[in-house]
Amino acid sequence: MIVLDEVVKEYDDIRVINKTDLVINDREVVGIVGYSGAGKSTLVRLINGLVNPTSGKVKIDGIDINSVSKKELNKIRHEIGMIFQNYNLLSSLTVYDNVKLALKIAKKKSDYSYIEEVLTMVGLKDKINEYPKNLSGGEKQRVAIARAIVNNPKYLLCDEITSALDNKTAIEIVELLKDIKTKMGITIVFISHQLEIVRKICDRVVVMEKGSLVEDAEISEFFLNPKSIASKSLLTGVLDFKEEENENLYVLKYRDSANQEMILSEAIKKFGIDINLLKAQTIDIKNKVLGFLLLEIFGSKKAEAIKFFASKGIEVEKYEVYRD
Amino acid sequence: MKFTEIEISELLKASKDTLYQLIISGAFIVVIGLILGFILFFTEDKSSKGIVKVLHRIVSLIVDIARSIPFVILMVILIPLTIILVGTMLGAKAALPALIISASPFYARVVYMSLRDVDKGKIEALKSMGASNITIVVYLAKEALPSLISGITVTLVTLVGFIASAGAIGAGGLGDLAVRKAFANDYKMAYVSVFLVLIIVFIIQILGDYLSKKIDKR
């Protein structure tokens, strides 16, 4: 379990992390999202002690990592793999040696077949003797993943690991992580500003803004019911609704897009309302599909109709545009 | 072009002196430069305080001052120190302290810049794996090796120039021979001496480029 207890981080008297409490349970996949400069990268570096808090405590499995010796801290770090946006592979070492290095540092035995097995798992068996410069971005990130998991860590910190990759490769990398998560039961902290990537892997989303956690929600709740302005603004990028606001515009959010009931036509009959469907979109989240409808609703019994939708488990929200 | 036996033995002796100075001072310069360069790099951290910060300031100051004094002047003002260390102010050996003091800071800066060019993210990655400081230094040096070697090449070429000037003020070697012969109107010998200096420079450059290229996997 990762616990941040009233953690504050300041650089030269400038606060980058305001007093923060956060608990990440074992085997959870938590997405930490927010715009650049929100403090995400600092937050993730607090977890493995690359950054020390100005005040507060960071506890990994109950141990305050900033109160132990350097040697102890390094031991804890063997349990926490980390993957970076820019891969950070050593260019002077081959793929094999890059992965082996993590074992060597952890003073674990490294036999060829084990490293080969890990590289096979990330799909790079045939690149085992290449140098990083001969690999594509996606391949480099696979090596970085192999290096991070070779010690069989309990936690995996991912700092914007798909940001330097094209969309297709990014999705492949996330699929690989999901795979690893299933096989190894690892806890993942996934930092990203790309919600379309976060939604494919995370169980839970934490939103950061200006150094504070402004929202912490289960993934589909986050998409259906964002509370903070920052979240709504982030979600605007995912939903492709570009209309101007007007008083009749509503967004209907379906928890399960494969809804069997004919709720809309029932409402039209029941309340004598008129509906103009402007846009519809589905968003797949982990193993669910959420549906979003952008509607204009007219008629005197509009309010009752909206209540009726809510009673059928559909979230209804007035359509608002959030600009950054 | 024909050479008398005396001329040949003069050229051989001068070449031997120059190479002797080059190898001995070169070895010291590389070692001292590496140490100072690594100190400069690892004490630089903005957040560092107290003794680390002071160490950085001191090393930085020494390196910059020593680099700023022209070699010939440094050689002259170091005569008292040279006499204490070597026992004489003339001959091949006597040039060594000035050569080392003059070129080590130069290489230290080169080392510092090579290390600074390594992506900071790699250090972060090593730290995140739980690497000790020594491990970080070793792998950082490995990452910077091609440019550390290019740096040695540049430094040694500069050093050959220093050695030639040292020769002009009593340290012997090819520089000394070229100057003496030119003043005596023996331009054949002067040119041959210069030619030999050039050969040494070319060999250093070609060897350095080859090595650097061979190990560069970046």
Side-chain angles (χ1 to χ4, degrees):
Chain A
M1 194 161 69
I2 300 169
V3 177
L4 269 64
D5 184 8
E6 299 194 340
V7 168
V8 174
K9 178 63 189 175
E10 289 171 357
Y11 286 112
D12 300 329
D13 294 334
I14 297 164
R15 263 197 189 195
V16 287
I17 302 285
N18 298 316
K19 209 179 237 188
T20 294
D21 291 296
L22 179 67
V23 175
I24 293 168
N25 295 308
D26 288 350
R27 292 169 184 259
E28 225 177 355
V29 183
V30 179
I32 296 180
V33 301
Y35 293 110
S36 6
K40 307 183 299 277
S41 286
T42 307
L43 188 82
V44 77
R45 280 165 177 71
L46 283 162
I47 295 174
N48 62 357
L50 286 180
V51 169
N52 302 319
T54 308
S55 68
K57 282 179 182 154
V58 179
K59 289 181 194 159
I60 305 293
D61 296 329
I63 300 168
D64 178 355
I65 60 165
N66 297 295
S67 70
V68 297
S69 67
K70 181 102 203 287
K71 218 174 161 185
E72 286 296 315
L73 175 62
N74 281 339
K75 245 187 195 160
I76 295 170
R77 281 174 174 164
H78 301 153
E79 288 290 316
I80 310 174
M82 188 165 186
I83 316 169
F84 304 83
Q85 176 173 359
N86 300 321
Y87 329 119
N88 293 339
L89 301 175
L90 297 187
S91 51
S92 53
L93 303 180
T94 60
V95 167
Y96 175 82
D97 286 328
N98 262 290
V99 177
K100 187 176 156 184
L101 180 60
L103 284 169
K104 210 165 144 186
I105 288 174
K107 298 191 177 69
K108 286 184 188 165
K109 258 213 242 152
S110 56
D111 62 281
Y112 187 89
S113 63
Y114 173 59
I115 292 172
E116 195 181 29
E117 188 188 314
V118 174
L119 281 168
T120 309
M121 188 160 144
V122 300
L124 279 182
K125 195 186 165 199
D126 51 336
K127 305 273 182 184
I128 197 160
N129 291 318
E130 289 286 353
Y131 282 93
K133 72 163 179 185
N134 299 325
L135 303 179
S136 69
E139 287 168 340
K140 282 183 198 163
Q141 201 58 295
R142 284 167 190 273
V143 179
I145 291 173
R147 180 176 72 176
I149 61 168
V150 73
N151 275 323
N152 217 342
K154 207 171 154 192
Y155 306 98
L156 193 56
L157 309 178
C158 305
D159 185 19
E160 295 278 7
I161 63 167
T162 56
S163 302
L165 304 173
D166 62 74
N167 209 27
K168 183 173 164 279
T169 314
I171 288 168
E172 282 169 13
I173 291 290
V174 169
E175 292 300 326
L176 172 64
L177 269 191
K178 266 166 108 172
D179 214 37
I180 287 167
K181 151 88 186 157
T182 321
K183 281 183 191 147
M184 302 175 65
I186 209 164
T187 308
I188 301 178
V189 181
F190 194 90
I191 304 279
S192 179
H193 65 279
Q194 300 165 298
L195 276 182
E196 63 276 20
I197 298 293
V198 168
R199 69 169 202 247
K200 291 195 188 302
I201 182 163
C202 296
D203 309 313
R204 179 180 153 201
V205 180
V206 174
V207 182
M208 278 194 89
E209 195 190 16
K210 293 185 189 135
S212 298
L213 307 187
V214 293
E215 189 153 352
D216 186 342
E218 191 272 323
I219 184 85
S220 50
E221 277 313 301
F222 170 75
F223 274 86
L224 291 169
N225 243 332
K227 301 276 188 309
S228 65
I229 301 288
S231 314
K232 289 178 184 180
S233 166
L234 277 165
L235 280 169
T236 316
V238 178
L239 282 174
D240 192 25
F241 296 164
K242 297 279 182 299
E243 272 66 20
E244 288 298 314
E245 290 173 35
N246 83 47
E247 56 171 15
N248 298 317
L249 268 181
Y250 292 87
V251 181
L252 269 59
K253 303 169 184 175
Y254 289 67
R255 273 167 212 285
D256 187 356
S257 76
N259 210 315
Q260 299 299 318
E261 283 184 86
M262 287 180 276
I263 299 169
L264 277 187
S265 56
E266 207 181 324
I268 293 170
K269 281 179 212 153
K270 217 168 170 177
F271 303 104
I273 52 168
D274 285 314
I275 284 176
N276 179 23
L277 177 56
L278 292 174
K279 263 198 182 129
Q281 193 179 341
T282 57
I283 297 180
D284 49 330
I285 292 170
K286 279 195 73 185
N287 35 26
K288 251 196 221 171
V289 180
L290 303 178
F292 294 80
L293 295 181
L294 182 63
L295 301 174
E296 272 184 303
I297 306 178
F298 303 98
S300 54
K301 288 190 171 171
K302 195 162 86 176
E304 284 96 321
I306 288 170
K307 263 186 207 148
F308 170 72
F309 290 141
S311 73
K312 293 285 179 188
I314 300 170
E315 300 279 344
V316 186
E317 191 182 74
K318 258 198 91 54
Y319 175 68
E320 285 175 286
V321 180
Y322 295 90
R323 296 198 171 86
D324 324 334
Chain B
M1 201 165 17
K2 280 200 173 136
F3 295 98
T4 64
E5 230 165 82
I6 298 170
E7 281 173 336
I8 289 176
S9 80
E10 267 183 322
L11 284 170
L12 276 177
K13 165 90 171 62
S15 304
K16 221 180 90 188
D17 281 353
T18 293
L19 286 174
Y20 167 81
Q21 289 170 341
L22 181 68
I23 290 165
I24 303 290
S25 61
F28 275 99
I29 289 161
V30 168
V31 173
I32 297 172
L34 278 172
I35 294 171
L36 292 179
F38 270 88
I39 292 177
L40 277 179
F41 180 78
F42 279 102
T43 54
E44 192 187 31
D45 193 354
K46 237 169 89 189
S47 63
S48 63
K49 291 181 203 93
I51 191 155
V52 177
K53 202 167 187 172
V54 172
L55 185 64
H56 182 79
R57 288 262 170 84
I58 292 174
V59 174
S60 192
L61 196 71
I62 293 173
V63 164
D64 288 338
I65 290 177
R67 240 165 15 118
S68 316
I69 304 174
F71 174 70
V72 178
I73 299 173
L74 189 77
M75 181 142 177
V76 175
I77 60 171
L78 281 180
I79 286 176
L81 179 73
T82 307
I83 291 174
I84 295 170
L85 286 175
V86 194
T88 169
M89 54 174 280
L90 290 173
K93 247 188 192 161
L96 293 178
L99 288 171
I100 293 166
I101 291 174
S102 185
S104 299
F106 178 81
Y107 187 53
R109 274 289 162 205
V110 173
V111 170
Y112 164 76
M113 285 190 288
S114 307
L115 294 176
R116 212 181 46 182
D117 281 347
V118 176
D119 189 346
K120 286 266 192 301
K122 290 176 182 175
I123 301 179
E124 215 176 26
L126 286 166
K127 278 189 185 166
S128 78
M129 286 189 258
S132 65
N133 288 341
I134 304 228
T135 310
I136 292 173
V137 169
V138 168
Y139 283 94
L140 192 64
K142 212 168 171 183
E143 285 294 292
L145 199 56
S147 59
L148 290 176
I149 288 179
S150 305
I152 293 180
T153 312
V154 175
T155 309
L156 289 185
V157 168
T158 313
L159 185 62
V160 173
F162 285 176
I163 291 171
S165 348
I169 49 173
L174 288 166
D176 168 51
L177 189 64
V179 173
R180 271 195 292 118
K181 293 295 175 184
F183 277 131
N185 268 332
D186 184 355
Y187 281 97
K188 182 185 82 177
M189 282 294 280
Y191 284 135
V192 172
S193 305
V194 172
F195 180 71
L196 287 174
V197 171
L198 288 180
I199 298 256
I200 294 174
V201 168
F202 285 142
I203 290 175
I204 294 171
Q205 191 66 50
I206 290 166
L207 212 65
D209 286 350
Y210 169 78
L211 270 178
S212 170
K213 210 168 172 183
K214 194 173 170 196
I215 57 166
D216 197 350
K217 308 289 180 195
R218 289 176 296 188

